[in-house]
Amino acid sequence: MTETHDDQAINADGKKPLKMQEAVHVEVADDIPAELEALLHTEPLHGLTDAEVTERTAQFGLNEIPEHKTNPLLKFLSYFTGPISYLLEIACILSGVFKDWIDFGILLAVLIINACIGFFEEARAESALDALKNTLALKSRCWRNGKLVEVDSNTLVPGDIIALRLGDIIPADCRLLGVGVTGEITEGTLQIDQAALTGESLPVNKGKGATAYSSAIVKQGQMLAVVTKTGINTYIGRAANLISITTEEGHFQKIINSIGNFLVIITCVMALALFFVRVWAVPEKPNAPLGDRVRHSLLEVLVLTVAAIPVGLPTIMSVTMAVGASQLAKKQVIVKRLTAIEELASVSILCSDKTGTLTLNQLSFDVPYLSNRGNTTDNFEGTGVRYTEQDLLLTSFFASEPGAQDAIESAIRGAAQERVTVLKERVEQDHHIPGYKVNNFIPFNPTSKYTEATVTDLSTGKQFRCIKGAPQVIVRMVGGHDEATKAVNDFALRGLRALGVAITVDEAMTKFEMVGMISLLDPPRPDSAHTIEECNKLGISVKMITGDQQIIGKEVAHRLGMHRTILDASKLIDDSIDEEALIDRCVKCDGFAQVIPEHKYKVVELLQKRGYLVGMTGDGVNDAPALKKANVGIAVEGCTDAARSAADIVLLAAGLSTIVDGVKTSRAIFQRMRSYALYRIASTIHFLLFFFISICAFGFSLPPILIIMIAVLNDAATLVISVDNAQISQRPDKWRLGQLLTLSGILGVLLMIISFAHFFVAKDGFGLTTLPEKDNEGVENAGKLQTIMYLQISSCPHFVIFSTRLPGYFYENVPSWVFILAVAGTQVFAMFMSIYGVKVFEATAIGWGWGVSVLAISTVMFMLLDVVKVAIIRSWSFELTVKLYPTKSRKALLQERVAKRVVKERALANIAKCRKVLYMTMGLVAWRRTFENGGKRKLLVGNSSSTIVIN
């Protein structure tokens, strides 16, 4: 939004000077209901009476954010819920009933460990709300009963008259009255820093009738204000309410529950079927009493169920993420919620706050406009020699107030002290300038809108005046200057703050000459552009979400290498379009400006509805609701307590560069977890199918101790997957549950076929029996078959983890030596135990021939299964899933995707054609200009009047 200043006189040549455009702060609207408005007309120097305060406290409540505490015991017990936990609990109870204390102890320990990890790593209670509460002022000065008294801030009510002074934290939303603390009428303004609330990079000036928000800080001035809103109804209170209602289940927890539900269903179905088969259809002891058959079958089914349940799934996932959290901590990325590591790997859109995150949150001297020496209103060329940047900074330094805490003054003085040679050499750090003496200084005031200094050049004795202030005022003081006005308008269009600088050139010190225009901007961090580029390479789209003005957002986006499609936040509440179109708007744009906490929250919510996993970075109170809502909330260095508490990840290093390290580490962790999940599901399917068929058809099973050995050894070995080498994806990772379960099912079935091949070769080819006969030879044959199958079922599925650890062929990424030794070590142990036999584990010696052969075949088989895995992954697509599972909704979605793809390809083709025509036109124009200038081309440098001629 711009404001036009048309207070300049007509130039000497009769032409009207250019109009100057200046960026104006756009205040967030804050509607007040009529019934509340009626309570706000309190006498300023009298205030409310005690009776009125009591009545309004009963109506509006205390000025504080209500707390919602969760019972710690109930929170801890909640970690014993979920499909896998329920199955473990049932198995644990049955183990106790049958006095199988080893299984009972293992299962109980797993349950408690998983609950403790979840409780201590993820229990954040309402810490975000506590932090928001702590940002409120504790005491306030307030007019009550005709006296200015100090009261607790939580006792304020709408209609209270409060005094605001320099350094005060504003205790509630209030309306400025334009009245001094002691009752005098004032036309002045308050300078208020509300960056932590709205994301604006500069303090804003607010006068009579403007709203000052709770928790903002008064930087300059004093004034009375009437309280308009308190507690949860304030600007900051609305942010707290958004946090308190955000209690969605995490993405990772949904995935684990989906996997758990799948495994629990197939385990329960097969366990129940097997139970009925063993009791009635094919009982092991047909003549035994029904109670004995039921008890024996339950015990047999229990052992198989315990071995089939992915007991280690939650623990291995937690350990893998804990190791990753430790790795990230070394890179100054602190993980507060372990599952955020997995979710960060899947983030495809990163919404970033601008002020203090992408930028430095401090005004800096930018490229200025410099006038020519001797310039006048009618002759901008003057002597043809330009003032230098050092001239501009030194002149502005003369007219700057020493020790001022104002952000603009600090930026100019800092740039001058850093770049001007004479200021670098000085010893005293006040207004002393070597070779000059400041005789008089007039500070800024709202009426004149400039600062002024009278200076003596000690080398010549010449005196001159310097002025620095609002561009339109300085232009007027020099009698008009269209070129400087053009520069200011250009600055305004790019969101830069401008200040004019002029100096007197006559002995009477009455005639001013334009030195130049200073431009100021909160600059991007040095690493922000590179970080955005790296995120784009990793398939992450970065969107800027800022409370600053739209033009400032566009300029910063341009400097960061982003596109300039920064929309006004009002586009988020457009009633003329439906939600799908609104989501399309969010997806396609590069960010939003002039947002409030509700806007940031809505952007995240809309993107999540489209299925994107969204990351959100920020540092202020205004970011806290969106940080809590996002799949991964990231609080940056120097953030407020509210942002830190609402976030899942906290960055200790400045800027966003460490996010790239976090994403890469998270994707490595994701690959490890996915490889384990794929291996474990395939193993479970293989295990259940083989034993269900072998028991039902052949009455064959393994001794319970060998079944437990398979489960314990294999799960223990896979714990080291947390330190395995991982192949990092260049795109956001996704679980793709359909692909995961389908691939697991195919691998499980193939593993079952391989196991039955071993079974039939040993049984029919070598005459080993499935059931022990009465003689010793029959018992030994049955024991050999059991041990052979134990070794095969232990090794072949376990070696498959070398294949599942990456989507390509197993040899494309070498596992870590620790991982190889752990997996191979358990199978070598199982091989030697099988070769020589271990009586205590009911393992019969099978000799070197069988032992080495089984392990060698398992090694070859996992390589063959690796080829199947790669073929499935490479052929997998949404089109394929629609063919496999052709529901009406899925077919409609496929048609929609195909239509969008056709439109996109056509648009890209048209853009390519337009670009070709544009380049041809630009070439022709360039050559035409060359010939028009007699074979010479002009290269524009800096300002419009500065050119270099190239022959």
Side-chain angles (χ1 to χ4, degrees), residues 710 713-714 751 754 758 787-800 802 820-835 846-865:
I710 292 173
L713 277 179
N714 290 8
L751 284 168
I754 295 169
H758 279 75
T787 306
I788 290 169
M789 293 312 301
Y790 156 74
L791 182 58
Q792 196 279 328
I793 292 170
S794 175
S795 62
C796 194
H798 203 46
F799 285 162
V800 168
F802 287 116
I820 292 173
L821 290 174
V823 175
T826 57
Q827 299 316 309
V828 169
F829 171 79
M831 182 184 73
F832 278 107
M833 186 179 77
S834 301
I835 289 171
I846 60 175
W848 280 91
W850 274 110
V852 173
S853 298
V854 170
L855 223 60
I857 293 171
S858 294
T859 304
V860 173
M861 287 298 106
F862 106 76
M863 295 178 185
L864 293 176
L865 292 176

Side-chain angles (χ1 to χ4, degrees), residues 86-97:
Y86 293 145
L87 200 56
L88 286 173
E89 287 155 14
I90 293 170
C92 185
I93 293 169
L94 290 175
S95 297
V97 170

Side-chain angles (χ1 to χ4, degrees), residues 370 372 381 384 386 483 929 933 936-951:
L370 299 171
N372 284 347
E381 289 297 324
R386 284 195 178 277
E483 198 174 83
R929 287 179 177 174
N933 286 283
K936 297 179 179 180
R937 287 174 289 160
K938 283 187 177 181
L939 176 64
L940 193 66
V941 177
N943 299 284
S944 58
S945 60
S946 177
T947 60
I948 296 174
V949 178
I950 303 173
N951 292 314

Side-chain angles (χ1 to χ4, degrees), residues 544-704:
M544 181 193 299
I545 315 292
T546 178
D548 247 330
Q549 298 174 54
Q550 188 177 13
I551 53 174
I552 295 177
K554 287 177 178 287
E555 177 66 15
V556 172
H558 174 68
R559 297 190 182 207
L560 290 171
M562 301 170 65
H563 295 296
R564 293 166 58 95
T565 314
I566 307 295
L567 303 182
D568 189 281
S570 60
K571 302 294 183 182
L572 290 168
I573 49 176
D574 190 346
D575 295 330
S576 64
I577 62 174
D578 60 19
E579 187 174 79
E580 284 302 310
L582 199 57
I583 294 174
D584 285 336
R585 182 174 286 175
C586 289
V587 171
K588 293 175 183 177
C589 77
D590 300 293
F592 289 92
Q594 294 176 194
V595 299
I596 59 177
E598 289 91 334
H599 292 149
K600 294 190 178 188
Y601 185 94
K602 188 167 186 178
V603 169
V604 173
E605 185 178 43
L606 289 172
L607 291 172
Q608 288 174 333
K609 286 184 178 180
R610 181 59 63 84
Y612 292 103
L613 260 70
V614 182
M616 176 74 202
T617 72
D619 61 349
V621 174
N622 62 320
D623 301 311
L627 290 172
K628 184 78 179 291
K629 175 66 176 174
N631 299 96
V632 182
I634 304 168
V636 300
E637 185 263 347
C639 62
T640 61
D641 287 342
R644 186 182 299 111
S645 299
D648 306 305
I649 293 174
V650 180
L651 306 183
L652 300 183
L656 293 180
S657 58
T658 48
I659 283 185
V660 176
D661 292 331
V663 169
K664 290 179 178 178
T665 303
S666 296
R667 290 188 182 179
I669 293 165
F670 180 93
Q671 291 300 330
R672 293 169 189 149
M673 292 191 295
R674 186 181 182 279
S675 68
Y676 172 75
L678 180 56
Y679 148 75
R680 198 62 181 87
I681 298 170
S683 297
T684 299
I685 293 172
H686 158 248
F687 193 90
L688 289 171
L689 286 176
F690 176 79
F691 281 107
F692 179 79
I693 296 172
S694 68
I695 290 173
C696 293
F698 308 104
F700 174 80
S701 184
L702 297 182

Side-chain angles (χ1 to χ4, degrees), residues 212-253:
Y213 294 117
S214 173
S215 296
I217 302 171
V218 179
K219 289 293 187 180
Q220 196 175 79
Q222 62 175 7
M223 194 180 296
L224 291 181
V226 59
V227 173
T228 55
K229 293 182 179 180
T230 59
I232 202 70
N233 298 312
T234 62
Y235 187 95
I236 191 176
R238 295 199 299 271
N241 187 55
L242 286 175
I243 292 175
S244 66
I245 63 175
T246 305
T247 56
E248 292 187 359
E249 183 182 42
H251 170 261
F252 181 71
Q253 195 58 47

